[in-house]
Amino acid sequence: MTTSHTVAAFDAELAALRRTIDSMAELVERQVGDAIEALAARDSVRAAAIVKEDAAIDRLEAEVEAMVVRMLALRQPMAKDLREIVSALKIASNLERMGDFAGSVAKRAITLAGLPVAPPLSSLSWMGQMVLGMIRDMRRAYAEQDAALATAVRDRDGEVDAAYTSLFREVLTYMMETPQQISGCTHLLFAAKSIERIGDHATNVAENVCFLVKGRLPSEERHKEDLSSSTVVPPKD
Amino acid sequence: MTTSHTVAAFDAELAALRRTIDSMAELVERQVGDAIEALAARDSVRAAAIVKEDAAIDRLEAEVEAMVVRMLALRQPMAKDLREIVSALKIASNLERMGDFAGSVAKRAITLAGLPVAPPLSSLSWMGQMVLGMIRDMRRAYAEQDAALATAVRDRDGEVDAAYTSLFREVLTYMMETPQQISGCTHLLFAAKSIERIGDHATNVAENVCFLVKGRLPSEERHKEDLSSSTVVPPKD
């Protein structure tokens, strides 16, 4: 009976670990969605709430770590169980980073709310929706252990990168035409970069889901289409 | 004899794990130093070599992960050993991120080398030297399991944040006075932000060293002095 009892206890712990990860992911999804809306609506009150709420994600990460260490020490899991537990650590770390970036976007939103800036925001909101869609599907892929969906999430990161590169160029052009809005536009660029990075971390989580389901990472090279670091808008003579 | 044999095998694996982490840290230190120099010297050839070399850091991280999973499965470590092995995963993940940021700085350096830009670089190089100093001491704290040194590294992150905030303001002012250099200055700001983030990750590693040595994180709250996200330079009327 000890063995079946141990197995049942392990299964219960694994289920609790998955629930904690999903709670983290749910909170991250909400925080990212709120940050994108606060940025678009220039809502500094909502943005301040996001900055404050980030601690809840950090606490959940600490909970995941404590669960993992306890399970490793007491249950000595092997094969797929071990893979899932180690992946949980990596997924939690990526989710924590996504939460941090939502906080960064919110901080920029607070600054932008106080500025008379009107740079182009439509492409930013479109990019935000793409990233939110990736987070939703990443959560579903994790919950349903769906490697095909996880691979599809990963493959959408290139679109986010391309959108960011085009936004970078657009905002740079706007800054050159409207130098009095340079502060605001710079904060906008950093907010956009944070959203792009959230997409990168959603991709990392998706890759971890593939790994825990199939025991290997998705085979194809990831498309990298963020060309913003080499984007230059020459001044008009 | 089996027990002492097992203990000896475990100790050898732990030593190999530490060596691999230190090789990663050594490579990260070199890549960050090279990236800072390539940026200052506008050396695109050197910068391109840094971008290429990042894969070596990623490979070492994969090696650390494989070692950790093997040790967890075969050795079933407890207490401090378990803590050290789990910390190794987190340290490797932070080092990998530092390598990525060195690559980001190098990419911006390539772009900046081709631009007729002369924004203020002296404060950037000063900030770079502070971060490099943190990395060196972080390595030593890890190698010597020195929690006091690790705490000192952590406490220096506030200076890097303050330097970055002041650089942010300086470059924003320069952009407003010299709008034809907006592209270059924007890349410079992102490069500076990457260097600041490298400092954050060195701090994370230092905190992990404290945790693995003492079983708890450093007690005092970390100083956060990166106020750049609320920094605005108003246009002169």
mmCIF file of all heavy atoms in Angstrom, chain A residues 88-125:
data_model
loop_
_atom_site.group_PDB
_atom_site.id
_atom_site.type_symbol
_atom_site.label_atom_id
_atom_site.label_comp_id
_atom_site.label_asym_id
_atom_site.label_seq_id
_atom_site.Cartn_x
_atom_site.Cartn_y
_atom_site.Cartn_z
ATOM 1 N N ALA A 88 9.011 22.946 -14.824
ATOM 2 C CA ALA A 88 8.174 23.853 -14.028
ATOM 3 C C ALA A 88 8.995 25.044 -13.533
ATOM 4 O O ALA A 88 8.538 26.189 -13.571
ATOM 5 C CB ALA A 88 7.551 23.112 -12.851
ATOM 6 N N LEU A 89 10.222 24.767 -13.101
ATOM 7 C CA LEU A 89 11.119 25.835 -12.647
ATOM 8 C C LEU A 89 11.378 26.843 -13.758
ATOM 9 O O LEU A 89 11.357 28.049 -13.540
ATOM 10 C CB LEU A 89 12.480 25.252 -12.261
ATOM 11 C CG LEU A 89 12.768 24.869 -10.831
ATOM 12 C CD1 LEU A 89 14.263 24.562 -10.705
ATOM 13 C CD2 LEU A 89 12.384 25.951 -9.842
ATOM 14 N N LYS A 90 11.647 26.312 -14.951
ATOM 15 C CA LYS A 90 11.987 27.190 -16.069
ATOM 16 C C LYS A 90 10.764 27.978 -16.541
ATOM 17 O O LYS A 90 10.859 29.158 -16.879
ATOM 18 C CB LYS A 90 12.581 26.378 -17.225
ATOM 19 C CG LYS A 90 13.827 25.610 -16.812
ATOM 20 C CD LYS A 90 14.515 24.972 -17.973
ATOM 21 C CE LYS A 90 15.227 26.025 -18.791
ATOM 22 N NZ LYS A 90 16.112 25.427 -19.808
ATOM 23 N N ILE A 91 9.615 27.307 -16.547
ATOM 24 C CA ILE A 91 8.383 27.994 -16.955
ATOM 25 C C ILE A 91 8.068 29.112 -15.951
ATOM 26 O O ILE A 91 7.763 30.241 -16.334
ATOM 27 C CB ILE A 91 7.221 26.981 -17.088
ATOM 28 C CG1 ILE A 91 7.465 26.083 -18.307
ATOM 29 C CG2 ILE A 91 5.875 27.702 -17.191
ATOM 30 C CD1 ILE A 91 6.490 24.926 -18.460
ATOM 31 N N ALA A 92 8.195 28.800 -14.667
ATOM 32 C CA ALA A 92 7.903 29.805 -13.639
ATOM 33 C C ALA A 92 8.845 30.995 -13.771
ATOM 34 O O ALA A 92 8.433 32.153 -13.618
ATOM 35 C CB ALA A 92 8.013 29.187 -12.252
ATOM 36 N N SER A 93 10.121 30.716 -14.086
ATOM 37 C CA SER A 93 11.078 31.799 -14.234
ATOM 38 C C SER A 93 10.713 32.689 -15.429
ATOM 39 O O SER A 93 10.799 33.921 -15.353
ATOM 40 C CB SER A 93 12.474 31.183 -14.360
ATOM 41 O OG SER A 93 13.348 32.059 -15.009
ATOM 42 N N ASN A 94 10.272 32.081 -16.520
ATOM 43 C CA ASN A 94 9.836 32.875 -17.671
ATOM 44 C C ASN A 94 8.576 33.683 -17.354
ATOM 45 O O ASN A 94 8.454 34.842 -17.765
ATOM 46 C CB ASN A 94 9.583 31.963 -18.885
ATOM 47 C CG ASN A 94 10.859 31.644 -19.643
ATOM 48 O OD1 ASN A 94 11.417 32.496 -20.322
ATOM 49 N ND2 ASN A 94 11.351 30.419 -19.512
ATOM 50 N N LEU A 95 7.647 33.085 -16.635
ATOM 51 C CA LEU A 95 6.414 33.802 -16.276
ATOM 52 C C LEU A 95 6.747 34.996 -15.377
ATOM 53 O O LEU A 95 6.162 36.072 -15.520
ATOM 54 C CB LEU A 95 5.425 32.860 -15.578
ATOM 55 C CG LEU A 95 4.803 31.770 -16.473
ATOM 56 C CD1 LEU A 95 4.002 30.789 -15.613
ATOM 57 C CD2 LEU A 95 3.898 32.383 -17.544
ATOM 58 N N GLU A 96 7.694 34.782 -14.468
ATOM 59 C CA GLU A 96 8.091 35.876 -13.578
ATOM 60 C C GLU A 96 8.665 37.038 -14.395
ATOM 61 O O GLU A 96 8.363 38.204 -14.139
ATOM 62 C CB GLU A 96 9.120 35.348 -12.561
ATOM 63 C CG GLU A 96 9.454 36.319 -11.440
ATOM 64 C CD GLU A 96 10.602 37.252 -11.795
ATOM 65 O OE1 GLU A 96 11.441 36.887 -12.642
ATOM 66 O OE2 GLU A 96 10.648 38.372 -11.245
ATOM 67 N N ARG A 97 9.474 36.710 -15.413
ATOM 68 C CA ARG A 97 10.038 37.748 -16.277
ATOM 69 C C ARG A 97 8.931 38.476 -17.031
ATOM 70 O O ARG A 97 8.984 39.678 -17.222
ATOM 71 C CB ARG A 97 11.044 37.158 -17.286
ATOM 72 C CG ARG A 97 12.282 36.527 -16.692
ATOM 73 C CD ARG A 97 13.203 37.526 -16.006
ATOM 74 N NE ARG A 97 13.533 38.636 -16.884
ATOM 75 C CZ ARG A 97 13.357 39.919 -16.587
ATOM 76 N NH1 ARG A 97 12.867 40.278 -15.426
ATOM 77 N NH2 ARG A 97 13.669 40.851 -17.443
ATOM 78 N N MET A 98 7.926 37.708 -17.505
ATOM 79 C CA MET A 98 6.807 38.338 -18.222
ATOM 80 C C MET A 98 6.084 39.322 -17.304
ATOM 81 O O MET A 98 5.691 40.414 -17.727
ATOM 82 C CB MET A 98 5.840 37.261 -18.731
ATOM 83 C CG MET A 98 6.447 36.401 -19.838
ATOM 84 S SD MET A 98 5.543 34.841 -20.095
ATOM 85 C CE MET A 98 4.264 35.386 -21.220
ATOM 86 N N GLY A 99 5.916 38.929 -16.041
ATOM 87 C CA GLY A 99 5.282 39.820 -15.065
ATOM 88 C C GLY A 99 6.095 41.092 -14.871
ATOM 89 O O GLY A 99 5.548 42.197 -14.831
ATOM 90 N N ASP A 100 7.422 40.931 -14.780
ATOM 91 C CA ASP A 100 8.305 42.097 -14.659
ATOM 92 C C ASP A 100 8.130 43.048 -15.839
ATOM 93 O O ASP A 100 8.076 44.265 -15.668
ATOM 94 C CB ASP A 100 9.781 41.659 -14.649
ATOM 95 C CG ASP A 100 10.257 41.297 -13.257
ATOM 96 O OD1 ASP A 100 9.451 41.393 -12.302
ATOM 97 O OD2 ASP A 100 11.428 40.910 -13.117
ATOM 98 N N PHE A 101 8.068 42.469 -17.028
ATOM 99 C CA PHE A 101 7.926 43.320 -18.216
ATOM 100 C C PHE A 101 6.558 44.011 -18.240
ATOM 101 O O PHE A 101 6.456 45.161 -18.680
ATOM 102 C CB PHE A 101 8.152 42.516 -19.504
ATOM 103 C CG PHE A 101 9.606 42.291 -19.815
ATOM 104 C CD1 PHE A 101 10.157 41.013 -19.853
ATOM 105 C CD2 PHE A 101 10.441 43.368 -20.070
ATOM 106 C CE1 PHE A 101 11.497 40.814 -20.136
ATOM 107 C CE2 PHE A 101 11.790 43.176 -20.356
ATOM 108 C CZ PHE A 101 12.317 41.890 -20.393
ATOM 109 N N ALA A 102 5.514 43.332 -17.757
ATOM 110 C CA ALA A 102 4.200 43.991 -17.665
ATOM 111 C C ALA A 102 4.326 45.191 -16.725
ATOM 112 O O ALA A 102 3.796 46.271 -17.005
ATOM 113 C CB ALA A 102 3.142 43.010 -17.163
ATOM 114 N N GLY A 103 5.089 45.008 -15.627
ATOM 115 C CA GLY A 103 5.336 46.116 -14.700
ATOM 116 C C GLY A 103 6.103 47.252 -15.377
ATOM 117 O O GLY A 103 5.803 48.434 -15.168
ATOM 118 N N SER A 104 7.092 46.893 -16.220
ATOM 119 C CA SER A 104 7.848 47.927 -16.943
ATOM 120 C C SER A 104 6.940 48.705 -17.885
ATOM 121 O O SER A 104 7.034 49.939 -17.967
ATOM 122 C CB SER A 104 8.961 47.295 -17.788
ATOM 123 O OG SER A 104 9.837 46.562 -16.974
ATOM 124 N N VAL A 105 6.070 47.984 -18.595
ATOM 125 C CA VAL A 105 5.130 48.668 -19.497
ATOM 126 C C VAL A 105 4.252 49.616 -18.683
ATOM 127 O O VAL A 105 4.021 50.768 -19.069
ATOM 128 C CB VAL A 105 4.254 47.643 -20.268
ATOM 129 C CG1 VAL A 105 3.147 48.347 -21.054
ATOM 130 C CG2 VAL A 105 5.113 46.799 -21.207
ATOM 131 N N ALA A 106 3.784 49.151 -17.525
ATOM 132 C CA ALA A 106 2.906 49.966 -16.679
ATOM 133 C C ALA A 106 3.633 51.234 -16.199
ATOM 134 O O ALA A 106 3.056 52.320 -16.182
ATOM 135 C CB ALA A 106 2.409 49.144 -15.499
ATOM 136 N N LYS A 107 4.934 51.082 -15.824
ATOM 137 C CA LYS A 107 5.692 52.264 -15.390
ATOM 138 C C LYS A 107 5.797 53.301 -16.510
ATOM 139 O O LYS A 107 5.665 54.498 -16.287
ATOM 140 C CB LYS A 107 7.094 51.869 -14.933
ATOM 141 C CG LYS A 107 7.114 51.258 -13.540
ATOM 142 C CD LYS A 107 8.544 50.926 -13.137
ATOM 143 C CE LYS A 107 8.557 50.031 -11.900
ATOM 144 N NZ LYS A 107 9.891 49.419 -11.697
ATOM 145 N N ARG A 108 6.053 52.815 -17.727
ATOM 146 C CA ARG A 108 6.119 53.738 -18.872
ATOM 147 C C ARG A 108 4.739 54.364 -19.098
ATOM 148 O O ARG A 108 4.638 55.532 -19.477
ATOM 149 C CB ARG A 108 6.543 53.004 -20.149
ATOM 150 C CG ARG A 108 7.827 52.209 -20.046
ATOM 151 C CD ARG A 108 9.068 53.070 -20.098
ATOM 152 N NE ARG A 108 10.266 52.259 -19.928
ATOM 153 C CZ ARG A 108 11.492 52.742 -19.870
ATOM 154 N NH1 ARG A 108 11.718 54.039 -19.976
ATOM 155 N NH2 ARG A 108 12.521 51.946 -19.702
ATOM 156 N N ALA A 109 3.673 53.583 -18.881
ATOM 157 C CA ALA A 109 2.314 54.097 -19.083
ATOM 158 C C ALA A 109 2.043 55.245 -18.112
ATOM 159 O O ALA A 109 1.409 56.242 -18.482
ATOM 160 C CB ALA A 109 1.283 52.988 -18.899
ATOM 161 N N ILE A 110 2.541 55.118 -16.879
ATOM 162 C CA ILE A 110 2.359 56.199 -15.895
ATOM 163 C C ILE A 110 3.043 57.474 -16.389
ATOM 164 O O ILE A 110 2.470 58.558 -16.373
ATOM 165 C CB ILE A 110 2.935 55.781 -14.514
ATOM 166 C CG1 ILE A 110 2.115 54.620 -13.938
ATOM 167 C CG2 ILE A 110 2.951 56.969 -13.541
ATOM 168 C CD1 ILE A 110 2.702 53.996 -12.670
ATOM 169 N N THR A 111 4.294 57.318 -16.865
ATOM 170 C CA THR A 111 5.030 58.476 -17.374
ATOM 171 C C THR A 111 4.326 59.070 -18.594
ATOM 172 O O THR A 111 4.147 60.288 -18.699
ATOM 173 C CB THR A 111 6.476 58.070 -17.748
ATOM 174 O OG1 THR A 111 7.064 57.453 -16.607
ATOM 175 C CG2 THR A 111 7.303 59.260 -18.162
ATOM 176 N N LEU A 112 3.891 58.200 -19.500
ATOM 177 C CA LEU A 112 3.268 58.678 -20.735
ATOM 178 C C LEU A 112 1.933 59.370 -20.463
ATOM 179 O O LEU A 112 1.557 60.305 -21.190
ATOM 180 C CB LEU A 112 3.081 57.515 -21.719
ATOM 181 C CG LEU A 112 4.356 57.139 -22.489
ATOM 182 C CD1 LEU A 112 4.242 55.754 -23.096
ATOM 183 C CD2 LEU A 112 4.637 58.164 -23.584
ATOM 184 N N ALA A 113 1.225 58.927 -19.416
ATOM 185 C CA ALA A 113 -0.078 59.536 -19.099
ATOM 186 C C ALA A 113 0.072 61.018 -18.769
ATOM 187 O O ALA A 113 -0.841 61.815 -18.998
ATOM 188 C CB ALA A 113 -0.737 58.798 -17.938
ATOM 189 N N GLY A 114 1.253 61.387 -18.243
ATOM 190 C CA GLY A 114 1.460 62.786 -17.872
ATOM 191 C C GLY A 114 2.080 63.632 -18.971
ATOM 192 O O GLY A 114 2.429 64.784 -18.741
ATOM 193 N N LEU A 115 2.255 63.052 -20.155
ATOM 194 C CA LEU A 115 2.932 63.785 -21.224
ATOM 195 C C LEU A 115 1.976 64.129 -22.366
ATOM 196 O O LEU A 115 1.128 63.318 -22.733
ATOM 197 C CB LEU A 115 4.081 62.935 -21.796
ATOM 198 C CG LEU A 115 5.325 62.760 -20.927
ATOM 199 C CD1 LEU A 115 6.296 61.805 -21.611
ATOM 200 C CD2 LEU A 115 5.997 64.111 -20.703
ATOM 201 N N PRO A 116 2.138 65.314 -22.925
ATOM 202 C CA PRO A 116 1.308 65.687 -24.069
ATOM 203 C C PRO A 116 1.853 65.060 -25.341
ATOM 204 O O PRO A 116 2.303 65.736 -26.237
ATOM 205 C CB PRO A 116 1.447 67.212 -24.102
ATOM 206 C CG PRO A 116 2.821 67.451 -23.546
ATOM 207 C CD PRO A 116 3.139 66.327 -22.598
ATOM 208 N N VAL A 117 1.795 63.729 -25.380
ATOM 209 C CA VAL A 117 2.412 63.021 -26.504
ATOM 210 C C VAL A 117 1.329 62.334 -27.327
ATOM 211 O O VAL A 117 0.413 61.741 -26.776
ATOM 212 C CB VAL A 117 3.386 61.935 -25.998
ATOM 213 C CG1 VAL A 117 4.117 61.290 -27.157
ATOM 214 C CG2 VAL A 117 4.367 62.528 -25.015
ATOM 215 N N ALA A 118 1.459 62.412 -28.614
ATOM 216 C CA ALA A 118 0.493 61.708 -29.448
ATOM 217 C C ALA A 118 1.183 60.915 -30.537
ATOM 218 O O ALA A 118 0.891 61.069 -31.706
ATOM 219 C CB ALA A 118 -0.493 62.703 -30.050
ATOM 220 N N PRO A 119 2.132 60.048 -30.164
ATOM 221 C CA PRO A 119 2.773 59.260 -31.214
ATOM 222 C C PRO A 119 1.828 58.145 -31.651
ATOM 223 O O PRO A 119 0.817 57.886 -30.996
ATOM 224 C CB PRO A 119 4.001 58.687 -30.517
ATOM 225 C CG PRO A 119 3.691 58.732 -29.069
ATOM 226 C CD PRO A 119 2.586 59.670 -28.825
ATOM 227 N N PRO A 120 2.104 57.516 -32.751
ATOM 228 C CA PRO A 120 1.214 56.467 -33.272
ATOM 229 C C PRO A 120 1.114 55.284 -32.316
ATOM 230 O O PRO A 120 2.107 54.650 -32.021
ATOM 231 C CB PRO A 120 1.876 56.058 -34.585
ATOM 232 C CG PRO A 120 3.285 56.536 -34.491
ATOM 233 C CD PRO A 120 3.297 57.705 -33.579
ATOM 234 N N LEU A 121 -0.075 55.006 -31.823
ATOM 235 C CA LEU A 121 -0.255 53.918 -30.860
ATOM 236 C C LEU A 121 -0.968 52.710 -31.455
ATOM 237 O O LEU A 121 -1.042 51.664 -30.827
ATOM 238 C CB LEU A 121 -1.040 54.419 -29.643
ATOM 239 C CG LEU A 121 -0.242 55.235 -28.610
ATOM 240 C CD1 LEU A 121 -1.175 55.908 -27.629
ATOM 241 C CD2 LEU A 121 0.749 54.339 -27.879
ATOM 242 N N SER A 122 -1.514 52.866 -32.667
ATOM 243 C CA SER A 122 -2.343 51.777 -33.198
ATOM 244 C C SER A 122 -1.520 50.511 -33.430
ATOM 245 O O SER A 122 -1.954 49.410 -33.097
ATOM 246 C CB SER A 122 -3.030 52.214 -34.486
ATOM 247 O OG SER A 122 -2.045 52.568 -35.432
ATOM 248 N N SER A 123 -0.307 50.654 -33.947
ATOM 249 C CA SER A 123 0.499 49.453 -34.205
ATOM 250 C C SER A 123 0.929 48.798 -32.897
ATOM 251 O O SER A 123 1.097 47.582 -32.816
ATOM 252 C CB SER A 123 1.716 49.780 -35.072
ATOM 253 O OG SER A 123 2.333 50.959 -34.613
ATOM 254 N N LEU A 124 1.061 49.630 -31.835
ATOM 255 C CA LEU A 124 1.426 49.082 -30.534
ATOM 256 C C LEU A 124 0.303 48.205 -29.991
ATOM 257 O O LEU A 124 0.545 47.110 -29.451
ATOM 258 C CB LEU A 124 1.709 50.229 -29.562
ATOM 259 C CG LEU A 124 2.255 49.828 -28.196
ATOM 260 C CD1 LEU A 124 3.607 49.151 -28.331
ATOM 261 C CD2 LEU A 124 2.386 51.044 -27.283
ATOM 262 N N SER A 125 -0.935 48.682 -30.151
ATOM 263 C CA SER A 125 -2.059 47.928 -29.620
ATOM 264 C C SER A 125 -2.238 46.617 -30.414
ATOM 265 O O SER A 125 -2.556 45.562 -29.854
ATOM 266 C CB SER A 125 -3.299 48.822 -29.632
ATOM 267 O OG SER A 125 -4.391 48.165 -30.162
#
